[in-house]
Amino acid sequence: MSTRSIDNLTARLNRLPGIGIKTAQRLAYHILDLDPDEVRGLAEALTDAKSRVHYCPVCGNYTEDELCSVCSDPKRDRSLICVVRDARDVSFMERMREFRGLYHVLGGTLSPMDGVGPDDIRISELLERVRGGEVKEVVLATNPDVEGEATAAYIAGKLKPMGIRTTRIAHGIPIGGNLEFVDEITLFKAMENRREV
Amino acid sequence: MSTRSIDNLTARLNRLPGIGIKTAQRLAYHILDLDPDEVRGLAEALTDAKSRVHYCPVCGNYTEDELCSVCSDPKRDRSLICVVRDARDVSFMERMREFRGLYHVLGGTLSPMDGVGPDDIRISELLERVRGGEVKEVVLATNPDVEGEATAAYIAGKLKPMGIRTTRIAHGIPIGGNLEFVDEITLFKAMENRREV
């Protein structure tokens, strides 16, 4: 019994991840009560982000310029590359403000079940960058799930013969975590990677 | 370390109710991965809803036409008016598909603490409609909270002297509800309004 525009807006909001039909309805009604400028601003933010943002041709990170802010920063260490699955993972890594190297976005992980092979993700581009000669270490920071581990192992197998130091981010108990709520595999990894204090 | 457009989109999504910063980020990244047509469709749905939808001049419900779909439906019972707080409440009432009367949206509830008095909500418009002579019953369906009850009592006090049947929607245990989780006031109302079986 809502109007056509309200139903259309609700349906489109409902297609976003994590937005159920009740939340979509609540958002739609909220939007009707907003200032017209605020609604126009949100609509423009949507289309602007979609039209202006593209992938950095070097590393695959999001950018609005030719190169991304990491690749174009002269202060970054060009001998170190951190490999991640998605462009969004770059901003998650950058939040720690400690990593001073470059990135390489794969754009996916190997998944034979879903028909994703080595040629479907940006592995050859990584090897090409490494062949340039400047790179000394590659940190594999794919997620610690089956596909992420398989992808890391595959890339390590390609980089080792090239004489490149290849490392994997550590797995273990999250800081502030509680042994009670940590799964067995993480606990096993944490024990396996224990260090002298 | 995201781009300007991504940060702007995230900030604007974050202003919506119930959308925290993490959800806003996740939505922004999801939107970057969508088809451009889908993003344009969502942006247009936002501005269309805002520009096309207005309030029905008779009852205050949302509409894109001159009168809302309820007021313009010749099959509705014009002798019965259901009073609700917000325009969105009309669609919640309509979901039950049983009410065949008209609506009257107050656009708020009396709240002396917030400086909302009888002249700030559409009470005089309701009395005007009732004075037309066609109305026989007014159902007060404001929410069962302090402001909703006070508003219902105030309106009932105005309608009674006009000889109009004035009713209040029933309070009680929700269907499928559990006594354990029902608050004391609801339980009290349910006992008070008990009926012969």
Side-chain angles (χ1 to χ4, degrees):
Chain A
M1 282 313 287
S2 286
T3 79
R4 250 187 329 277
S5 308
I6 300 176
D7 289 345
N8 178 36
L9 176 57
T10 304
R12 287 191 176 271
L13 290 168
N14 186 208
R15 285 192 228 163
L16 296 173
I19 308 286
I21 183 70
K22 291 255 179 181
T23 305
Q25 250 169 7
R26 194 160 42 86
L27 288 174
Y29 288 129
H30 175 83
I31 285 156
L32 290 176
D33 286 340
L34 286 179
D35 192 81
D37 284 342
E38 179 70 21
V39 178
R40 205 176 310 117
L42 176 56
E44 280 171 10
L46 284 163
T47 49
D48 278 3
K50 185 66 198 168
S51 64
R52 287 190 192 160
V53 177
H54 57 266
Y55 295 116
C56 172
V58 174
C59 75
N61 183 17
Y62 290 122
T63 181
E64 294 180 46
D65 306 310
E66 205 190 316
L67 293 183
C68 80
S69 57
V70 177
C71 286
S72 59
D73 181 351
K75 286 187 298 231
R76 306 293 294 223
D77 179 357
R78 268 138 225 290
S79 73
L80 180 59
I81 290 183
C82 175
V83 175
V84 292
R85 187 182 64 179
D86 294 317
R88 66 190 72 180
D89 292 332
V90 173
S91 63
F92 300 153
M93 294 297 288
E94 285 295 289
R95 277 200 305 230
M96 96 184 126
R97 296 168 189 278
E98 282 295 335
F99 182 73
R100 297 307 303 159
L102 302 179
Y103 290 95
H104 189 85
V105 176
L106 294 173
T109 36
L110 296 178
S111 179
M113 297 279 280
D114 303 314
V116 181
D119 295 338
D120 299 312
I121 60 177
R122 300 177 64 249
I123 292 179
S124 60
E125 286 88 341
L126 172 66
L127 301 179
E128 201 54 53
R129 286 178 77 183
V130 168
R131 270 187 213 103
E134 223 177 353
V135 181
K136 293 198 165 50
E137 179 179 349
V138 172
V139 190
L140 299 165
T142 50
N143 287 326
D145 52 20
V146 176
E147 289 85 6
E149 294 293 355
T151 308
Y154 180 90
I155 296 174
K158 292 279 174 188
L159 291 173
K160 287 276 180 68
M162 296 165 78
I164 300 294
R165 185 174 182 224
T166 310
T167 54
R168 180 91 175 99
I169 46 163
H171 302 320
I173 316 289
I175 303 294
N178 186 317
L179 282 188
E180 186 181 348
F181 303 117
V182 170
D183 65 286
E184 298 83 344
I185 300 168
T186 303
L187 212 50
F188 173 75
K189 290 273 185 188
M191 278 300 283
E192 200 178 44
N193 300 325
R194 66 190 180 279
R195 305 191 320 172
E196 208 84 43
V197 288
Chain B
M1 281 309 282
S2 286
T3 78
R4 248 185 332 275
S5 309
I6 300 176
D7 289 345
N8 178 36
L9 176 57
T10 305
R12 285 191 176 270
L13 290 169
N14 186 207
R15 284 193 227 163
L16 296 174
I19 307 286
I21 184 68
K22 292 254 179 182
T23 305
Q25 249 169 6
R26 194 160 43 86
L27 288 174
Y29 287 130
H30 175 84
I31 284 157
L32 290 176
D33 286 341
L34 286 179
D35 192 80
D37 285 342
E38 179 70 20
V39 178
R40 204 175 311 118
L42 176 56
E44 281 170 8
L46 284 163
T47 48
D48 278 4
K50 185 65 197 170
S51 65
R52 287 190 192 162
V53 177
H54 57 265
Y55 296 115
C56 172
V58 175
C59 74
N61 183 18
Y62 290 123
T63 181
E64 295 179 44
D65 305 310
E66 205 192 314
L67 293 184
C68 80
S69 57
V70 177
C71 285
S72 59
D73 182 349
K75 285 186 299 224
R76 306 292 295 223
D77 179 357
R78 268 140 225 288
S79 72
L80 180 61
I81 290 183
C82 175
V83 174
V84 292
R85 188 181 64 179
D86 295 317
R88 66 189 71 179
D89 292 332
V90 173
S91 62
F92 300 152
M93 293 298 288
E94 285 294 289
R95 276 200 307 230
M96 95 183 127
R97 294 169 191 278
E98 281 296 333
F99 181 73
R100 298 307 301 158
L102 303 178
Y103 291 95
H104 189 84
V105 176
L106 294 173
T109 37
L110 296 179
S111 178
M113 298 279 280
D114 304 314
V116 182
D119 294 337
D120 300 312
I121 60 178
R122 300 177 65 251
I123 292 180
S124 60
E125 287 87 340
L126 172 65
L127 301 180
E128 200 55 51
R129 285 178 76 184
V130 169
R131 270 187 213 106
E134 224 178 354
V135 181
K136 297 202 163 45
E137 178 180 349
V138 172
V139 190
L140 300 165
T142 50
N143 288 325
D145 51 20
V146 176
E147 288 85 5
E149 294 294 355
T151 308
Y154 180 88
I155 295 174
K158 292 279 175 190
L159 290 173
K160 286 276 181 70
M162 297 166 76
I164 300 294
R165 185 174 183 222
T166 309
T167 53
R168 180 91 175 98
I169 46 162
H171 302 320
I173 316 289
I175 303 295
N178 187 318
L179 282 189
E180 185 181 348
F181 302 118
V182 171
D183 66 286
E184 298 83 344
I185 299 167
T186 303
L187 212 49
F188 173 74
K189 289 273 187 190
M191 278 299 283
E192 201 177 42
N193 301 323
R194 66 192 180 276
R195 306 193 316 173
E196 208 84 42
V197 290

